[in-house]
Amino acid sequence: MSTKHEKILQYIESLPIGEKISVRQIAKEMQVSEGTAYRAIKEAENRSLVSSIERVGTIRIEKKKKENIERLTFAEIVNIVDGQVLGGKAGLHKTLNKFVIGAMQLEDMMRYTDPGSLLIVGNRIKAHYNALKTGAAVLITGGFDTTEENKRLADELELPIISSSYDTFTVATMINRAIYDQLIKKDILLIEDIYVKLEDTAKLIVGQTVADFHALNANTSHGAFPVVSKNNKLVGIVTVKDVIGKEEHELIDKVMTKHPISVSMKTSVASAGHRMVWEGIDLLPVVDDDGYLQGVISRQDVLKALQTAQHQPQHGETIDDIVKSEMKVLGEEDILVEFTVTPQMTNQYGAVSYGAFTTLLTEVGLIALKRRKRGDAVLENITTYYIKPIQMDNVLRIVPHILDMSRKFVKMDFDVFHEDALVGKAMATFQLLDR
């Protein structure tokens, strides 16, 4: 049974691409309060179903597949560059294939301008007209306007003309950054990428008994199951430990763990994995915003996904990627890592930032554990000590020492040298991920 929120989202998804919507219209159409309609539209924006633009309104846009996330719609471009739409509003939902900077003669400019592209140019009226005729949208920089004829042509062809007060270089940089950020998001594994869907999820319903648990356990060999109400709302989770010594006729409701930890589709796989390790659980229910079960994720699924992701080519670089790229592992038995501090890793004083330093030590610790055949681990805590300032362009040598290792935890310390002088130390505890 769908909630009002879900029904509104389904309604928005069913609307044709390019359709304009408003809070008042949704409230009237779906017979809900304006507050409920507003929350649903905001969620639709988070899911990339709509895009809201100042002075234009909210438009239904094409939801991009994750593998094609780097393609932006013209509506998103308007928001990125704080733009004003001068014409062609009906085409804001369309995606652009590429953008062209018009810093050349008109004939040369048109050679590079294809249908579906975005021409970024200043107050060159003829270039605006020719680009529209070619099938391209136009982004005018410097806050300039265009002719009424060009605006009418843009409306007729449904190709947006956007004006931004920023200069051409700034606009191109902003769009490039938005594409780059989306490429990084594309690389981040989310629960929605690997979860077991509801139709394939073994679950128990309130009112069933311990005998039903044993039957499901024998049938699937799973050790834990989510427990749901009759309308599929998550109410608990039950494991083998919960039913040990219980009578067969005893109700699942009485033995299950109520209010279990759960995750949403947009939770990152890494975050879910850390949570499972810290809480010591093997199965996490996946729920929507209203608490209805969508599926499950197991510890094995998480480990497998994280191991696979480590071997995938990366498109966008995060700070972690930059830190890893500067590391050089020396030595076979006794690990020694050489590392150069680059400008991106420094704070406003030119010294290595706390975040970059912590990332470096964590990565060195994980390499040391892998050399000891201890597989994957997560950092639980770390204490760092700066003995001397660590400056930009310093070449560091990091030596890890394993102090104590049990089945679940590893304690480690690190010595950090620059030109044979000890410049930093750290103590860290890692928690090992069970396979």
Side-chain angles (χ1 to χ4, degrees):
M1 185 179 161
S2 298
T3 61
K4 284 179 186 176
H5 187 80
E6 287 172 317
K7 281 178 180 168
I8 298 168
L9 287 169
Q10 286 162 11
Y11 169 72
I12 291 171
E13 201 159 2
S14 72
L15 292 172
I17 304 298
E19 182 95 352
K20 200 169 163 185
I21 62 170
S22 71
V23 169
R24 190 170 293 175
Q25 173 222 330
I26 292 284
K28 190 177 174 186
E29 187 77 35
M30 302 298 292
Q31 296 183 324
V32 295
S33 71
E34 289 193 2
T36 303
Y38 174 79
R39 284 192 296 275
I41 288 173
K42 277 293 163 197
E43 175 63 20
E45 202 169 348
N46 292 338
R47 295 188 189 182
S48 300
L49 294 172
V50 299
S51 186
S52 298
I53 303 167
E54 201 176 336
R55 296 185 296 275
V56 173
T58 303
I59 296 162
R60 171 78 171 94
I61 60 172
E62 188 178 358
K63 185 173 181 182
K64 299 183 287 293
K65 291 179 182 172
K66 192 164 185 186
E67 63 271 16
N68 206 25
I69 198 168
E70 66 272 21
R71 287 181 63 177
L72 298 167
T73 63
F74 293 118
E76 288 168 312
I77 294 291
V78 175
N79 287 329
I80 290 162
V81 302
D82 297 328
Q84 183 180 349
V85 184
L86 305 178
K89 290 176 185 175
L92 285 167
H93 63 278
K94 295 175 181 174
T95 55
L96 65 148
N97 300 321
K98 65 174 184 178
F99 64 88
V100 180
I101 296 174
M104 54 193 92
Q105 294 291 340
L106 186 61
E107 305 79 50
D108 296 323
M109 205 187 296
M110 289 307 116
R111 280 216 315 267
Y112 292 98
T113 309
D114 305 318
S117 57
L118 176 71
L119 176 67
I120 302 173
V121 70
N123 56 342
R124 297 175 67 178
I125 303 298
K126 203 161 183 187
H128 305 166
Y129 177 83
N130 285 9
L132 291 168
K133 279 291 190 184
T134 307
V138 179
L139 173 51
I140 307 168
T141 57
F144 292 108
D145 204 343
T146 191
T147 62
E148 291 304 317
E149 183 193 354
N150 282 347
K151 290 176 188 177
R152 279 194 297 275
L153 182 61
D155 288 337
E156 186 187 310
L157 298 175
E158 296 188 354
L159 288 168
I161 293 188
I162 304 156
S163 177
S164 172
S165 58
Y166 296 111
D167 62 83
T168 303
F169 175 78
T170 305
V171 159
T173 304
M174 290 164 93
I175 295 172
N176 236 346
R177 180 57 197 255
I179 292 171
Y180 194 72
D181 286 350
Q182 296 216 46
L183 282 167
I184 290 172
K185 287 181 188 174
K186 174 180 163 181
D187 288 333
I188 296 171
L189 271 177
L190 302 178
I191 292 297
E192 66 183 3
D193 299 318
I194 65 165
Y195 79 111
V196 177
K197 291 183 172 61
L198 185 61
E199 54 268 28
D200 301 318
T201 297
K203 60 184 185 294
L204 289 162
I205 299 168
V206 168
Q208 288 190 286
T209 63
V210 170
D212 294 313
F213 174 93
H214 288 309
L216 200 55
N217 174 248
N219 198 27
T220 62
S221 74
H222 297 171
F225 304 102
V227 183
V228 295
S229 63
K230 288 193 166 52
N231 64 349
N232 210 42
K233 199 158 193 173
L234 181 71
V235 293
I237 195 160
V238 62
T239 69
V240 172
K241 286 179 187 171
D242 297 325
V243 300
I244 290 172
K246 305 295 181 189
E247 298 290 337
E248 293 283 292
H249 58 79
E250 203 158 339
L251 291 174
I252 286 295
D253 329 12
K254 303 295 181 192
V255 299
M256 70 181 183
T257 301
K258 293 176 182 174
H259 312 298
I261 296 163
S262 61
V263 289
S264 73
M265 293 287 194
K266 297 297 177 187
T267 305
S268 73
V269 171
S271 169
H274 289 194
R275 194 86 192 266
M276 292 171 106
V277 170
W278 286 328
E279 303 288 348
I281 48 182
D282 295 314
L283 189 84
L284 273 178
V286 182
V287 297
D288 65 12
D289 290 341
D290 297 304
Y292 289 93
L293 187 69
Q294 304 285 291
V296 291
I297 189 92
S298 72
R299 193 188 288 220
Q300 286 78 10
D301 295 331
V302 168
L303 283 173
K304 191 175 174 185
L306 290 175
Q307 284 161 359
T308 305
Q310 284 170 9
H311 301 103
Q312 297 301 314
Q314 301 297 304
H315 296 282
E317 269 193 320
T318 62
I319 292 295
D320 282 23
D321 296 324
I322 294 168
V323 169
K324 287 177 197 174
S325 70
E326 291 298 325
M327 289 169 55
K328 192 193 292 181
V329 183
L330 309 171
E332 288 301 318
E333 289 300 316
D334 297 323
I335 304 288
L336 173 67
V337 174
E338 203 172 79
F339 178 80
T340 305
V341 180
T342 66
Q344 299 103 311
M345 301 171 202
T346 56
N347 59 22
Q348 68 268 39
Y349 307 113
V352 70
S353 74
Y354 182 77
F357 193 55
T358 304
T359 300
L360 167 64
L361 297 172
T362 304
E363 288 301 323
V364 172
L366 293 174
I367 290 167
L369 289 174
K370 280 191 175 154
R371 286 282 177 95
R372 295 286 290 268
K373 303 286 190 288
R374 292 314 303 252
D376 294 301
V378 291
L379 179 72
E380 187 161 276
N381 61 64
I382 186 166
T383 307
T384 55
Y385 305 90
Y386 293 101
I387 296 165
K388 290 183 181 175
I390 300 171
Q391 301 294 317
M392 189 188 336
D393 296 328
N394 279 178
V395 177
L396 307 178
R397 287 180 300 111
I398 302 97
V399 184
H401 307 284
I402 293 175
L403 305 175
D404 184 41
M405 189 183 298
S406 66
R407 198 171 61 84
K408 291 203 167 183
F409 293 96
V410 176
K411 287 183 180 154
M412 199 179 292
D413 79 353
F414 304 87
D415 292 325
V416 182
F417 297 93
H418 170 56
E419 294 180 347
D420 297 326
L422 187 68
V423 294
K425 280 190 77 72
M427 280 280 294
T429 305
F430 290 87
Q431 193 167 155
L432 297 168
L433 275 70
D434 293 332
R435 298 189 173 280

